[in-house]
Amino acid sequence: MSSAADRIGRIECFPVLPRWLFVRIETEQGAVGWGEATLEGHGEAVAGAIDAARDRLIGHDPDRIEDAWQLLHRLGFYRGGPVLMSAIAGIDQALWDLRGRKLGVPVYQLLGGRVRNRISVYAWIGGDRPADIADAAKQRAAQGFTAVKMNGTEDIGWLEGMRQIDALVERVGQVREAGIDVGIDFHGRVHRPLARAALKAIEPLRPLFAEEVVLSDNVDVVAQLAGCSAVPIALGERLYSRWDYRPFLEKGVVDIIQPDLAHAGGISEARRIAAMAEVYDVAFAPHCPIGPLALAACLHVGAATPNFVIQEVSLGIHYNRPAEDLTTLVRNPAMFGIESGAMAIPEGPGLGVEVDEAAVREMAKSPHRWRNPAWRGRDGELREW
Ligand SMILES: [Mg+2]
């Protein structure tokens, strides 16, 4: 057991399949914590930011998690954005894991204890080019899920795609007939001219939410959507801090926020974002189509956060191959078991994930270079992915 005089001695990064970035922090006295700084498609940039963070954190007291967060966020002069906030996120998660392990308690206990008994979850169906949705929904139901998420459309132009919206209504209807709740992720693919039509078309099918109908770059376009249907508006995977969320909350244009705990400053910042949202009666449903450490962080925060509603999980997601799924690099995969639409709150020390360190080190010897596909329309123009 390390003493109060312990210091951060080593910070390592591991790019692992399918598209994740793990962070390992070890103290001079040998205490270890793991986190996840996955920023899909930008792993090299985040690893670079973590390399720079070593200059600030080696020699720092690992128990001073908030001071480390402030140091990384404020001392660099330039702050915010996906790369820097993902680097902070991975380090923050690892420090919470380390702290919990040192004390022998799960992280949620350090966040004030649980406010619920289990964590509702949903999984993906349909992939990026959704088809055969009904069978996929039935398979998810058979696995124990009661809710799923699917992509709304394929790539779509500024003013092209009413046919795709008709197809969307057809597919969502099939999923609802399978007796399962469904959130619809538009992935920011729809542009302003079609956005209201897309929302109104799905409204009678009563989806759980419509996610990133348009990109979150323009709060006024989101505001236009907020009043045009009864479908709850969800967004936030491309917002990285309290400051990014602030205009959406103040303008009252979002119903469900979806910060990613590997992108938005980790456990520390997600807790603060959720508390801010609570003031505006907004629900909290963390984004997590990524790895086991990020998911574990979500489970702990969800356990301790009153306005948490449901957790995305990447089990069997279309980005993962069976040999590279959520539990591949974990020695205690049972912690991610699904029962009646929910996961158990992790009870092991720290984040509760027993990382297969040898497998991680071996896999990271051949770093992945995951990139999303480049989609182009009929005339060769670039489309949102
Ligand atoms: Mg999304």
Side-chain angles (χ1 to χ4, degrees):
M1 182 57 74
S2 49
S3 76
D6 204 5
R7 293 284 178 261
I8 293 173
R10 198 172 172 201
I11 303 174
E12 296 173 277
C13 266
F14 300 95
V16 289
L17 293 169
R19 53 179 190 161
W20 307 331
L21 185 69
F22 289 179
V23 179
R24 181 183 183 277
I25 296 182
E26 184 173 345
T27 67
E28 289 170 354
Q29 296 177 21
V32 170
W34 287 84
E36 185 169 338
T38 301
L39 183 67
E40 311 92 289
H42 301 276
E44 300 86 348
V46 176
I50 290 172
D51 181 35
R54 290 186 177 101
D55 295 342
R56 301 294 190 190
L57 290 188
I58 300 297
H60 191 271
D61 178 350
D63 294 345
R64 295 179 64 195
I65 301 172
E66 183 58 31
D67 189 69
W69 196 97
Q70 295 287 334
L71 201 63
L72 294 178
H73 186 244
R74 293 166 60 195
L75 198 57
F77 186 76
Y78 299 100
R79 61 188 70 175
V83 172
L84 295 179
M85 295 308 283
S86 295
I88 293 176
I91 290 167
D92 180 84
Q93 288 175 21
L95 290 176
W96 279 103
D97 185 43
L98 198 155
R99 184 81 180 124
R101 286 174 186 278
K102 277 170 75 174
L103 296 173
V105 295
V107 165
Y108 79 83
Q109 293 285 18
L110 303 177
L111 301 177
R114 63 184 169 82
V115 295
R116 55 182 45 79
N117 299 326
R118 48 183 224 146
I119 305 294
S120 289
V121 296
Y122 68 85
W124 268 90
I125 56 170
D128 286 319
R129 297 204 180 268
D132 302 329
I133 282 287
D135 282 348
K138 284 175 195 149
Q139 281 172 27
R140 287 304 196 184
Q143 288 176 319
F145 287 96
T146 55
V148 294
K149 188 160 86 182
M150 58 186 276
N151 269 305
T153 68
E154 301 182 3
D155 60 289
I156 189 166
W158 260 265
L159 195 57
E160 172 209 83
M162 282 303 180
R163 212 166 22 121
Q164 284 210 44
I165 291 172
D166 291 341
L168 160 69
V169 169
E170 167 75 24
R171 288 195 313 270
V172 174
Q174 289 172 13
V175 176
R176 299 290 284 127
E177 277 169 28
I180 199 159
D181 282 328
V182 59
I184 301 171
D185 188 353
F186 288 91
H187 235 239
R189 291 172 188 167
V190 179
H191 294 277
R192 178 173 181 150
L194 291 175
R196 278 169 294 179
L199 265 185
K200 283 176 183 287
I202 57 170
E203 185 178 12
L205 297 165
R206 299 184 175 226
L208 279 180
F209 53 79
E211 172 175 331
E212 282 196 321
V213 181
V214 294
L215 291 169
S216 304
D217 297 345
N218 190 334
V219 68
D220 294 319
V221 180
V222 178
Q224 192 183 50
L225 300 179
C228 84
S229 85
V231 181
I233 299 289
L235 57 82
E237 68 191 76
R238 287 182 263 195
L239 302 174
Y240 313 106
S241 69
R242 282 163 283 168
W243 294 273
D244 290 352
Y245 275 95
R246 177 176 165 176
F248 293 90
L249 295 170
E250 286 183 345
K251 284 179 183 272
V253 300
V254 61
D255 302 300
I256 301 162
I257 56 158
Q258 302 173 305
D260 187 309
L261 270 63
H263 304 168
I267 290 169
S268 298
E269 185 69 355
R271 281 281 281 173
R272 295 188 281 252
I273 293 168
M276 249 175 93
E278 186 187 358
V279 174
Y280 295 88
D281 202 21
V282 166
F284 172 70
H287 179 253
C288 194
I290 49 176
L293 292 155
L295 176 59
C298 292
L299 296 176
H300 287 278
V301 171
T305 299
N307 50 334
F308 168 86
V309 284
I310 196 164
Q311 179 59 54
E312 176 174 32
V313 303
S314 73
L315 205 63
I317 196 172
H318 45 290
Y319 305 112
N320 301 355
R321 291 184 292 190
E324 301 153 4
D325 209 343
L326 187 62
T327 55
T328 309
L329 298 169
V330 172
R331 288 191 284 117
N332 56 336
M335 73 175 284
F336 297 126
I338 312 284
E339 203 181 314
S340 306
M343 278 186 182
I345 296 168
E347 290 296 344
L351 292 175
V353 179
E354 297 307 321
V355 174
D356 185 343
E357 185 171 333
V360 166
R361 287 189 183 279
E362 185 59 32
M363 191 182 277
K365 286 179 185 166
S366 323
H368 67 79
R369 295 181 68 83
W370 187 87
R371 301 288 182 261
N372 58 286
W375 284 352
R376 291 182 183 276
R378 262 187 330 209
D379 302 328
E381 78 283 10
L382 206 61
R383 295 275 176 89
E384 298 296 333
W385 168 70

